[in-house]
Amino acid sequence: MPGNRPLGFLFALLAVTIWSGNFLIASGFVDEIPPVTLAALRWITATAVFLPFARRDLQRDMRALLDHRVELTVAAVTGVTLFNTLVYVSARTTDAVNMALFASTTPVFVVILARIFLKERISPLRWAGLAIAIAGMLAIATRGSLDVLVHMTFRLGDVIMLAAGFLWAVYSILVKRKPPTISRNAYLGATFLLGTIPLVPAALVEQCFVPAWSFTPAVLGAVLYIGVLASLVAFFLWNSAIMHIGPGNAALFQYFMPVFSGVGAWLLLGQPATMVHAVGFVLIFSGVVMATRPR
């Protein structure tokens, strides 16, 4: 059956809104907790909360899960183990402008991979919408200054962010190819569990090479946010959006992340909102509307 487009758009928008808070936490806690440890705590929390609800689905679909264990493992490693870990590492080695710039490559990767593996058509209107949305994202990331864009310096963190964007595109394609014999809860439960397992020993090894850190109430609140909302809730919304509107359309909503992050920084951190943010929002909104129009 065809997906519900308005519902898919709503799911994608809600997921991106929640993930915008995740980027604020990644930047705000860069000196409070090591990146791999933060990723491990995030996914341990998400898995512990979700598995009791997914247990029956996992038991019922175990045969199908074993039959598709390779695809599930790849989805778990790309979407759970590596993507957010690389984002947290990137936040330590580059600035917000570069992170936003390289984050914009993710929808491009998704559109190209969807064309190759899912045969999704890329119309001229979609390319035009994609370009307009990128222009809006760049306007916000560079604060409307061409000089900022021209004189950007590239670091290791930029390469890491580029790799993270590609891995997220791979995960989004794999979600769309989810076998119908596996329920949504079983798919999420399996990927959460498989993706969390390698993060635990990696976090333990990391403790040998980083300064001591404290599990403060602020850190606890951040872990609960990214573990329950940015992982469990947002992933459920994102996967649902992909099933309704496809990975190419869903990925375009990621261009709203700089907008929502800016709103969050304005409300929570007192950072100013300028006319550039308004112009960027209009460009992003117009580009996404153009690129997601039905044929």
Side-chain angles (χ1 to χ4, degrees), residues 72 173-184 187-188 239 243:
L72 281 168
I173 298 299
L174 290 171
V175 169
K176 182 61 177 179
R177 292 166 61 96
K178 178 185 76 68
T181 52
I182 301 176
S183 67
R184 189 182 312 172
Y187 189 89
L188 277 177
N239 287 11
M243 300 311 295

Side-chain angles (χ1 to χ4, degrees), residues 82-144:
L82 293 178
F83 172 68
N84 281 283
T85 306
L86 293 179
V87 171
Y88 297 150
V89 171
S90 176
R92 292 171 169 266
T93 54
T94 190
D95 54 39
V97 173
N98 287 41
M99 286 185 71
L101 175 62
F102 284 96
S104 71
T105 62
T106 302
V108 178
F109 284 139
V110 173
V111 168
I112 293 173
L113 292 179
R115 179 69 184 94
I116 295 173
F117 294 103
L118 303 178
K119 308 305 179 184
E120 287 190 4
R121 179 173 174 263
I122 309 177
S123 66
L125 190 63
R126 167 162 286 194
W127 280 121
L130 197 65
I132 292 173
I134 291 174
M137 187 280 306
L138 286 175
I140 294 174
T142 62
R143 300 179 296 280

Side-chain angles (χ1 to χ4, degrees), residues 19-35:
W19 281 329
S20 299
N22 176 49
F23 279 98
L24 290 176
I25 288 175
S27 298
F29 286 82
V30 68
D31 296 321
E32 302 293 329
I33 183 170

Side-chain angles (χ1 to χ4, degrees), residues 201-285:
L204 293 175
V205 171
E206 184 183 53
Q207 304 311 304
C208 302
F209 302 96
V210 297
W213 58 278
S214 301
F215 201 81
T216 63
V219 171
L220 175 60
V223 169
L224 289 176
Y225 179 89
I226 62 177
V228 177
L229 291 178
S231 297
L232 180 55
V233 176
F235 265 66
F236 183 86
L237 291 169
W238 184 256
N239 287 11
S240 300
I242 288 175
M243 300 311 295
H244 281 294
I245 60 177
N249 284 334
L252 293 169
F253 283 82
Q254 291 181 271
Y255 286 118
F256 283 108
M257 262 193 261
V259 177
F260 297 148
S261 295
V263 171
W266 174 57
L267 292 174
L268 301 176
L269 305 178
Q271 297 180 4
T274 65
M275 182 58 67
V276 172
H277 291 86
V279 172
F281 172 78
V282 171
L283 288 172
I284 292 171
F285 181 81

Side-chain angles (χ1 to χ4, degrees), residues 186-207:
Y187 189 89
L188 277 177
T191 53
F192 280 16
L193 183 59
L194 290 171
T196 302
I197 290 173
L199 283 172
V200 175
L204 293 175
V205 171
E206 184 183 53
Q207 304 311 304

